[in-house]
Amino acid sequence: MAEQVILREVGLRDGIQMAKCFLDTKHKLDWALRSQAAGIREMELTSFVPAKVVPQFADAEELAKYLPQLSGIVASALVPNLKGAERALAAGFTHINYVLSVSELHSQSNVRRSTDEAIDEFKRIVALKQTEAGKNMVLGVALATSFGCTLQGHVAPERVFEVANIVAAGGADELIVADTVGYGNPVEVKALLEPMMDIAAGRRVVCHFHDTRGLGLANVAAALDVGVRVFDTSLAGLGGCPFAPGATGNINTEDTAFMLESMGYSTGIDIAALLELRCDVESWLGDERYHGAIARAGLPKTFTMNS
Amino acid sequence: MAEQVILREVGLRDGIQMAKCFLDTKHKLDWALRSQAAGIREMELTSFVPAKVVPQFADAEELAKYLPQLSGIVASALVPNLKGAERALAAGFTHINYVLSVSELHSQSNVRRSTDEAIDEFKRIVALKQTEAGKNMVLGVALATSFGCTLQGHVAPERVFEVANIVAAGGADELIVADTVGYGNPVEVKALLEPMMDIAAGRRVVCHFHDTRGLGLANVAAALDVGVRVFDTSLAGLGGCPFAPGATGNINTEDTAFMLESMGYSTGIDIAALLELRCDVESWLGDERYHGAIARAGLPKTFTMNS
């Protein structure tokens, strides 16, 4: 029996947050349902940011109404602050991913708070978790720009570990280590993730890589080497970054599933079904950058899925 | 002092062998000279296949006249047979790469010989090496389709090791392990290359990866882990395969150099200079598929070269 690796599909959140067109709720639901049917077991479904900041997520509450149809999936929502966490809980989400940037400049740019102020907000979300309303909350904390930042450049690993220790000790259920701008390489991935597994002390550790500079899958392989078994991925490698013209988005779901299955891990994902879904997503979204080698070259003749 | 890794540029051979237009000798020379100036230290410069099979290399002898200008580079030539080796030697090359396919079907398709017959041809090249004309020959042997084949599918690692043992014991100076069609993954790379380093017994081992299915750089990282320090790469990821529509070519020189330098290895390569050369190559070749993340997204703000 092959060892399992979980790919958490983030196309409906990270993938479309910069898309030029608003993807209507019906298509978002179709994407989620067909991902579920294709074997995806976790999805970040939407984001509770103010609609005036990211109009794409104006229908977050509306989409949440369909959560009962998605019972085969662990559906999570991103939140930038306490207010977002309250909205997500009220809408019916239990899995919440709070983003906290380790880079001071990125944190200020993203949420107009210093990293320390963002840690204070994390503590307020933990306080919410301890109320009746929040008692079922599973709280992931994403450490954004853990491998560097397009604004401030270098981000000290010591600071990443310091923040990780604070959130792990302070009530986070899961640590999401994010290479927000695609700066990391396999050596740095091992150097950062090995201590992170210790800091997590049994909590789940998720890697969130962007393929901006082509090292996404090499970084996945490095993270596997130090024990990471959950990765954020995006259908068609969708996404982008306002600070990196021409950049790709998250690592590609289809390609990551292909690599993992080839390496002997089991993802449960039907890659052919994802490629069909991808075609429809392209027709819905129109002019975006779609990435991925398997969509271009096909699966090898020698490919078989693991079970 | 950072550990050195050598990238052998194969754009002028593998990269353009399927190009739609004939690249004239002047431009080939310009490509080679500017690669040399950008810090490239090894290049596969051309191929001594019959011009009626691959017209792109009709000027192999003509290009060889400029070898004295390329004294800063170890310039090699691919040969498919003894006749090619004789031509390459006569033209002034000393470094010769003989291609031998481990897949029976690919070997038949490529050179109309079985693998065993191709091994016999290898022995004839070794006999040439033992003559006065061949006394300076440095003979690399490329084991094509070592990770599988689009024609026959699975290629048994045992057969790869068997052939590698024969050529290592039989007079090869260098083993080039080639994933001709981009089937390999990091687990297979380690499983094949670790024994290969033993078989090579001090001879140089080169990995020749194609990025057809997006795993090229992950495979480089895996090969580094087991001690490989030489890789074939192609400017702009040029190249292609008639059996894989939409496939990319070899792993991209700029992206591989970026990954290696980021990981702390020294390549000696000026990536910015390669990006300039790449623009000119695009203007010379016209409508081809050009790949590469660094050309698209740029180097990170945090990037520095190792020395």
Side-chain angles (χ1 to χ4, degrees):
Chain A
M1 181 102 173
E3 193 180 352
Q4 296 216 1
V5 174
I6 294 170
L7 300 190
R8 177 162 64 182
E9 172 65 41
V10 298
L12 277 171
R13 204 279 301 167
D14 210 340
I16 60 172
Q17 67 185 359
M18 307 254 314
K20 289 180 275 295
C21 81
F22 176 78
L23 187 65
D24 64 40
T25 313
K26 179 177 74 66
H27 284 133
K28 286 174 181 164
L29 177 64
D30 197 12
W31 183 337
L33 287 169
R34 286 169 64 188
S35 297
Q36 179 176 254
I40 295 280
R41 288 294 161 260
E42 302 202 17
M43 287 188 86
E44 199 172 55
L45 211 60
T46 189
S47 173
F48 287 87
V49 291
K52 67 172 193 285
V53 177
V54 188
Q56 186 63 265
F57 304 125
D59 66 345
E61 273 85 0
E62 181 64 22
L63 190 59
K65 290 180 186 161
Y66 299 97
L67 283 172
Q69 289 187 46
L70 294 166
S71 58
I73 276 183
V74 176
S76 57
L78 182 143
V79 307
N81 50 31
L82 175 65
K83 171 80 182 163
E86 289 168 342
R87 282 179 58 203
L89 282 183
F93 281 95
T94 50
H95 286 71
I96 286 171
N97 304 319
Y98 172 62
V99 179
L100 190 163
S101 188
V102 188
S103 152
E104 288 297 330
L105 285 181
H106 184 256
S107 189
Q108 289 288 357
S109 162
N110 212 24
V111 291
R112 281 179 285 178
R113 284 198 182 98
S114 70
T115 301
D116 282 339
E117 287 165 347
I119 292 171
D120 290 341
E121 190 77 355
F122 157 75
K123 290 174 182 166
R124 287 187 278 270
I125 295 173
V126 172
L128 171 65
K129 190 172 186 286
Q130 288 156 348
T131 66
E132 181 61 25
K135 67 179 180 187
N136 296 321
M137 189 196 297
V138 178
L139 179 58
V141 176
L143 304 172
T145 64
S146 284
F147 292 87
C149 166
T150 39
L151 299 170
Q152 92 173 33
H154 185 66
V155 169
E158 296 70 26
R159 178 63 171 154
V160 180
F161 297 138
E162 184 186 15
V163 176
N165 270 306
I166 292 169
V167 299
D173 299 302
E174 174 173 304
L175 298 180
I176 305 157
V177 182
D179 183 10
T180 312
V181 296
Y183 270 18
N185 66 65
V187 167
E188 289 169 348
V189 166
K190 289 185 189 180
L192 206 67
L193 268 299
E194 201 157 27
M196 199 62 81
M197 300 302 274
D198 293 333
I199 291 170
R203 290 170 192 81
R204 199 165 82 150
V205 173
V206 181
C207 278
H208 177 103
F209 293 138
H210 281 249
D211 195 34
T212 317
R213 288 170 186 83
L215 307 192
L217 292 186
N219 289 344
V220 170
L224 287 167
D225 276 351
V226 295
V228 177
R229 293 294 180 268
V230 193
F231 297 91
D232 282 353
T233 64
S234 171
L235 188 74
L238 274 168
C241 170
F243 311 115
T248 69
N250 295 79
I251 52 172
N252 175 299
T253 306
E254 315 93 87
D255 291 1
T256 310
F258 160 64
M259 182 175 83
L260 290 166
E261 293 285 340
S262 302
M263 291 172 78
Y265 296 99
S266 171
T267 64
I269 291 173
D270 177 347
I271 296 172
L274 283 191
L275 291 175
E276 279 181 40
L277 171 58
R278 174 191 164 117
C279 286
D280 288 331
V281 166
E282 289 189 24
S283 73
W284 302 335
L285 287 175
D287 178 33
E288 296 292 335
R289 285 175 180 265
Y290 304 95
H291 303 274
I294 292 302
R296 192 176 57 218
L299 290 165
K301 200 168 185 167
T302 49
F303 181 77
T304 52
M305 289 274 291
N306 302 301
S307 55
Chain B
M1 184 101 175
E3 193 180 352
Q4 296 215 1
V5 174
I6 293 170
L7 300 190
R8 176 163 62 183
E9 173 65 41
V10 298
L12 276 170
R13 204 279 302 165
D14 209 338
I16 60 171
Q17 69 185 358
M18 307 256 310
K20 288 178 278 293
C21 80
F22 176 77
L23 187 65
D24 64 39
T25 313
K26 180 177 74 67
H27 284 134
K28 286 173 181 164
L29 177 64
D30 197 11
W31 183 337
L33 287 169
R34 287 169 62 188
S35 298
Q36 179 175 255
I40 295 280
R41 288 293 160 262
E42 301 202 19
M43 286 187 87
E44 199 172 53
L45 211 59
T46 189
S47 174
F48 287 87
V49 292
K52 68 172 192 282
V53 177
V54 187
Q56 185 64 264
F57 304 124
D59 65 346
E61 273 85 359
E62 181 64 21
L63 191 58
K65 289 181 186 161
Y66 299 97
L67 283 172
Q69 290 187 47
L70 294 166
S71 58
I73 276 182
V74 176
S76 58
L78 183 143
V79 308
N81 50 32
L82 175 65
K83 170 80 181 159
E86 290 168 342
R87 283 178 59 203
L89 282 183
F93 280 95
T94 50
H95 287 72
I96 286 170
N97 304 320
Y98 172 62
V99 178
L100 190 163
S101 189
V102 187
S103 152
E104 287 299 329
L105 285 182
H106 184 256
S107 189
Q108 290 288 358
S109 162
N110 211 27
V111 291
R112 282 180 283 179
R113 283 198 182 97
S114 69
T115 301
D116 281 340
E117 287 165 347
I119 291 171
D120 291 341
E121 190 75 356
F122 157 75
K123 290 173 182 166
R124 289 186 277 271
I125 295 172
V126 172
L128 172 64
K129 190 173 187 286
Q130 287 155 350
T131 66
E132 181 62 23
K135 67 178 179 185
N136 295 320
M137 189 195 297
V138 178
L139 179 58
V141 176
L143 305 172
T145 64
S146 284
F147 292 87
C149 167
T150 39
L151 299 171
Q152 94 173 33
H154 185 68
V155 170
E158 296 70 26
R159 179 63 171 153
V160 181
F161 297 138
E162 183 186 17
V163 177
N165 270 306
I166 292 169
V167 300
D173 298 303
E174 172 173 307
L175 299 180
I176 304 158
V177 182
D179 183 11
T180 311
V181 296
Y183 270 18
N185 66 64
V187 166
E188 289 168 350
V189 166
K190 289 185 189 180
L192 205 69
L193 268 300
E194 201 157 27
M196 199 61 81
M197 299 301 276
D198 292 334
I199 292 169
R203 290 169 192 82
R204 201 167 80 150
V205 174
V206 181
C207 278
H208 177 104
F209 293 138
H210 282 249
D211 194 34
T212 316
R213 288 168 186 83
L215 308 194
L217 293 186
N219 289 344
V220 170
L224 288 167
D225 275 352
V226 295
V228 177
R229 293 293 181 268
V230 193
F231 297 91
D232 283 353
T233 63
S234 172
L235 188 74
L238 273 168
C241 170
F243 311 116
T248 69
N250 296 78
I251 52 172
N252 174 298
T253 306
E254 315 92 88
D255 290 1
T256 310
F258 159 65
M259 184 175 81
L260 291 166
E261 293 284 342
S262 302
M263 291 173 77
Y265 295 98
S266 172
T267 64
I269 292 172
D270 177 346
I271 296 172
L274 283 191
L275 292 174
E276 279 180 39
L277 171 58
R278 174 190 164 117
C279 285
D280 287 333
V281 167
E282 290 189 23
S283 74
W284 301 335
L285 287 174
D287 179 32
E288 295 293 336
R289 285 177 180 264
Y290 304 95
H291 302 273
I294 293 302
R296 193 176 56 217
L299 290 165
K301 200 167 186 167
T302 49
F303 181 77
T304 52
M305 290 272 292
N306 302 301
S307 55

